[in-house]
Amino acid sequence: MNRAYKLRTFLIFSFFIFLYFTIFFNLYLIQIINSTYFSDLAKKQYNISVTINPPRATIFDSKNNPVALNKESLSAFILPNKLQESEKVKKFLKKYFPQAHDRLNNYKNKFFMHIKRRLTEEQINLIKESNLEDIKILKEPSRFYPNESVAIVTGVTNIDNKGMFGIEYEFNDQLSGSPTSMVLEKDARSGHFYFKKEITKTGIDSKSINLTIDSELQFLAQEELQETMAEFEAKEGAVVILNPDNGHILTMTSLPGFDPNNYENLNLENTKNKAISNTYEFGSVMKVFVAIAALQEGVVKIDELIDCENTKETQIDGFSFSTTIAQGIVPFAEVVEKSNNIGMAKVSKKLGTKIYDHYLNFGFGKKTNIPLNGENKGYVNPPDKWSRRSFISLSFGYEITANLLQLATAFSIIANDGYQVRPKLIISENDQKENPKQIYSPEVIQQIKQILQNTVNQGTAKRAAVKGYKVMGKTGTGNLAIDGSYSKTKNIYSFLGIIEKDDYKRIIAIYIKETPRGGKDLFGSAVAAPLFEKIAEKLLIHDKIIK
């Protein structure tokens, strides 16, 4: 009996010894050997990693009006591997969201699938009325553009709120900033997070941008451009308004345009900023720059008599060309005022290859370098590629292509008495620090100013005049090159003008391209010059210059 008792006691004791040893050994495994594993497991249960993106910054115009701002959009999604009413969902998607229905076959075992992002009001109502609990609604950040006319500059963001083109693309990093990453610890008792917060990566705040664009003026200019294009059934047009004092681009608009808030129906061709992306041989507006070059080089004087042969057609060095108005022997100033091709060709021949150097000096053939993608630098035919006809063509705007902003920038040299200012699209602290460079003598520029004023008052640009204001400008009518030859019926009509009153001055550059009425009887004086006058009137009222 005593022996049996001792055996039981030994067995019970041994059992507890083994139990304690087992517990001790497991504690050793947990706390010493596998401590890292269980520590990580605890963190996963009570910690969560969070990435916080700063809100995308606003784009403002020159008067601090927002032209690109944030809004919440709604997106619809499903969890394909957890559908409760699979057949009903498929039927609904097939009827209202066929693209999502087609994608569903490839997402059967997936955890998440978007049905549609940036839902319209109609689509939201359809989903609500379906009463399908499998279809969830998610709020996502997106952009809203209050002034459609400015979208050609701001550009738009894509479905993931990243810039696609324009300012949104060029300054995407600045506008979006960078995310902050942090670890949040859960309070085991309350079940709430933020019991403890640890930042693992500090982000960068997004930063807004101020454009030089005046959004209200841009709208007014586009409105006038649209009316003129409708009147002449034109295919394309653009307007640039520039402040020559500081190079600020106040307006840069073109048509056809696009609706920036209608992402689905975006026509990529219409998103081009045609004032910088499209280059043309503008014709007679280029005579202004040839005249400045000739006066600066001293190959002609403003009152020097030029024999224009009193004919509309002539030959120089065996090449035939024509002009619009027959003139006899007239002063050089009148050659420019009446836009006589014969007189300009004769002066250009005296300039020789220097005409090429001066075109480059004005900024043609190179980018303006404003911060927008898609700028076309244009082309100036270099002397080593000239034919015997080239000096004739270059004298009245052929064998040289330019964009509209280049023309406006070159004209600012005239407005600034020979000083060159770079065009600007972004307002920055360095605006006042730039020292403009004088590239033409004030005497030559004053002579050109008088010629351009006479061109408006009594020359080819009479319809650009604004009563009570000093207007200096030049019209252009260029034949478009189609399949390697110049069309007689497809033209581009342009006007470059400066409007002044006291210390106030603005440059307005315009082109209208291709109208069914094109041909011998339609010129820039009838298409672009009147548009200049209309835009100038609205500009003066907007800037409160009209008294």
Side-chain angles (χ1 to χ4, degrees):
M1 185 76 178
N2 189 36
R3 188 177 178 184
Y5 174 78
K6 287 182 178 180
L7 181 62
R8 278 200 307 271
T9 302
F10 175 76
L11 290 174
I12 292 169
F13 177 77
S14 298
F15 172 75
F16 279 106
I17 290 294
F18 176 77
L19 183 63
Y20 284 128
F21 178 80
T22 303
I23 293 171
F24 176 80
F25 182 71
N26 277 290
L27 287 173
Y28 176 79
L29 288 176
I30 292 170
Q31 295 185 12
I32 306 300
I33 302 299
N34 296 322
S35 62
T36 303
Y37 168 78
F38 286 105
S39 176
D40 290 342
L41 184 63
K43 286 180 181 179
K44 288 179 182 179
Q45 290 176 338
Y46 290 96
N47 289 14
I48 184 171
S49 297
V50 176
T51 300
I52 300 175
N53 291 294
R56 194 172 181 86
T58 304
I59 302 175
F60 296 95
D61 77 351
S62 59
K63 295 181 178 177
N64 284 320
N65 297 311
V67 290
L69 62 159
N70 294 325
K71 74 165 188 176
E72 281 189 337
S73 64
L74 298 180
S75 298
F77 70 93
I78 55 174
L79 307 177
N81 64 346
K82 293 184 179 180
L83 291 178
Q84 302 297 315
E85 298 179 288
S86 178
E87 292 306 314
K88 287 184 179 180
V89 170
K90 288 179 181 178
K91 186 176 179 181
F92 177 80
L93 294 182
K94 187 173 184 179
K95 184 174 182 180
Y96 297 110
F97 298 93
Q99 291 181 335
H101 176 268
D102 294 342
R103 280 188 286 117
L104 185 56
N105 287 331
N106 298 324
Y107 279 76
K108 286 179 182 178
N109 301 316
K110 301 287 185 179
F111 176 73
F112 182 92
M113 187 191 92
H114 272 117
I115 295 173
K116 178 76 170 57
R117 300 173 78 178
R118 296 187 183 181
L119 296 167
T120 65
E121 286 295 326
E122 182 183 0
Q123 290 168 338
I124 293 169
N125 291 332
L126 282 170
I127 291 170
K128 287 180 178 178
E129 291 168 3
S130 73
N131 292 318
L132 290 169
E133 293 186 7
D134 284 319
I135 299 179
K136 316 291 184 182
I137 298 292
L138 173 71
K139 288 183 179 180
E140 292 187 298
S142 64
R143 292 291 250 184
F144 176 69
Y145 303 92
N147 189 329
E148 186 176 313
S149 69
V150 188
I152 203 74
V153 177
T154 62
V156 298
T157 57
N158 63 14
I159 202 74
D160 294 313
N161 218 25
K162 294 180 180 179
M164 289 180 65
F165 55 89
I167 294 296
E168 293 275 31
Y169 173 81
E170 294 294 330
F171 292 88
N172 185 69
D173 290 344
Q174 178 180 328
L175 290 166
S176 62
S178 64
T180 294
S181 299
M182 61 179 67
V183 175
L184 306 179
E185 188 172 306
K186 183 179 181 181
D187 186 335
R189 293 184 178 181
S190 69
H192 295 301
F193 286 99
Y194 297 98
F195 178 71
K196 181 181 177 183
K197 180 170 70 175
E198 179 185 349
I199 295 175
T200 56
K201 181 182 178 183
T202 302
I204 300 172
D205 288 339
S206 56
K207 188 178 179 182
S208 63
I209 289 173
N210 278 80
L211 303 177
T212 60
I213 298 292
D214 182 327
S215 60
E216 184 180 348
L217 182 60
Q218 177 115 338
F219 172 79
L220 295 172
Q222 190 182 88
E223 195 175 48
E224 292 296 341
L225 175 64
Q226 194 164 25
E227 286 186 12
T228 298
M229 287 179 63
E231 178 187 350
F232 290 96
E233 301 175 73
K235 289 189 175 180
E236 184 183 309
V239 176
V240 169
I241 302 177
L242 192 72
N243 181 347
D245 288 333
N246 53 19
H248 283 193
I249 303 168
L250 306 176
T251 290
M252 183 163 54
T253 186
S254 59
L255 290 173
F258 65 99
D259 179 0
N261 298 307
N262 187 352
Y263 183 86
E264 283 189 343
N265 299 316
L266 203 61
N267 183 333
L268 292 180
E269 182 64 27
N270 290 345
T271 64
K272 286 183 178 179
N273 189 329
K274 300 168 187 66
I276 60 171
S277 68
N278 293 7
T279 59
Y280 299 103
E281 294 171 293
F282 280 97
S284 292
V285 293
M286 308 305 292
K287 292 173 183 173
V288 176
F289 309 112
V290 177
I292 293 173
L295 291 168
Q296 184 76 26
E297 293 293 338
V299 300
V300 70
K301 294 181 179 179
I302 192 169
D303 56 355
E304 184 176 330
L305 296 177
I306 307 294
D307 185 7
C308 296
E309 302 181 7
N310 201 28
T311 181
K312 290 185 179 181
E313 294 187 14
T314 192
Q315 284 190 348
I316 293 181
D317 294 346
F319 292 100
S320 300
F321 62 99
S322 62
T323 190
T324 306
I325 301 171
Q327 290 177 286
I329 299 174
V330 296
F332 178 61
E334 196 172 324
V335 171
V336 183
E337 290 165 19
K338 301 296 184 183
S339 200
N340 191 288
N341 290 346
I342 297 171
M344 289 303 301
K346 289 185 175 182
V347 170
S348 176
K349 189 173 182 179
K350 293 181 180 181
L351 265 175
T353 58
K354 287 183 178 178
I355 191 173
Y356 172 78
D357 299 328
H358 282 276
Y359 271 139
L360 295 186
N361 204 30
F362 277 107
F364 298 113
K366 48 193 172 185
K367 292 184 178 182
T368 64
N369 285 325
I370 63 167
L372 281 181
N373 53 315
E375 181 178 6
N376 190 329
K377 69 179 182 179
Y379 175 78
V380 185
N381 193 19
D384 61 353
K385 294 184 178 179
W386 280 13
S387 67
R388 286 188 298 150
R389 184 189 175 90
S390 291
F391 77 89
I392 299 174
S393 299
L394 286 163
S395 72
F396 44 80
Y398 291 93
E399 297 191 33
I400 172 173
T401 64
N403 65 50
L404 194 63
L405 182 59
Q406 286 175 325
L407 289 176
T409 303
F411 231 58
S412 69
I413 296 169
I414 300 170
N416 288 330
D417 297 323
Y419 286 87
Q420 189 176 46
V421 177
R422 292 184 302 108
K424 300 178 188 70
L425 189 59
I426 307 294
I427 296 175
S428 68
E429 296 176 357
N430 298 323
D431 276 358
Q432 305 303 322
K433 297 179 181 179
E434 182 181 346
N435 293 318
K437 177 184 176 183
Q438 187 172 26
I439 60 174
Y440 287 98
S441 72
E443 293 77 17
V444 167
I445 297 300
Q446 286 306 314
Q447 291 175 339
I448 287 295
K449 280 185 172 182
Q450 188 57 57
I451 289 173
L452 294 177
Q453 194 171 359
N454 291 342
T455 301
V456 173
N457 293 339
Q458 59 200 37
T460 59
K462 292 178 183 178
R463 296 182 67 178
V466 179
K467 190 175 180 181
Y469 297 86
K470 185 177 180 181
V471 176
M472 298 162 280
K474 184 75 185 74
T475 59
T477 306
N479 295 325
L480 293 171
I482 308 294
D483 297 328
S485 61
Y486 290 105
S487 171
K488 294 181 180 179
T489 58
K490 295 182 178 181
N491 307 96
I492 186 163
Y493 309 96
S494 56
F495 186 85
L496 281 176
I498 304 167
I499 186 160
E500 288 187 2
K501 186 176 180 68
D502 302 325
D503 293 333
Y504 176 89
K505 53 188 173 183
R506 295 288 185 268
I507 293 167
I508 304 175
I510 294 162
Y511 81 74
I512 299 288
K513 178 192 169 190
E514 204 172 327
T515 165
R517 294 161 55 183
K520 292 184 177 180
D521 298 326
L522 195 64
F523 301 98
S525 57
V527 181
L531 177 56
F532 171 91
E533 188 269 338
K534 291 175 184 176
I535 292 175
E537 288 277 4
K538 285 196 172 181
L539 169 65
L540 295 168
I541 294 170
H542 172 269
D543 288 350
K544 297 180 174 59
I545 304 301
I546 288 182
K547 298 179 181 177

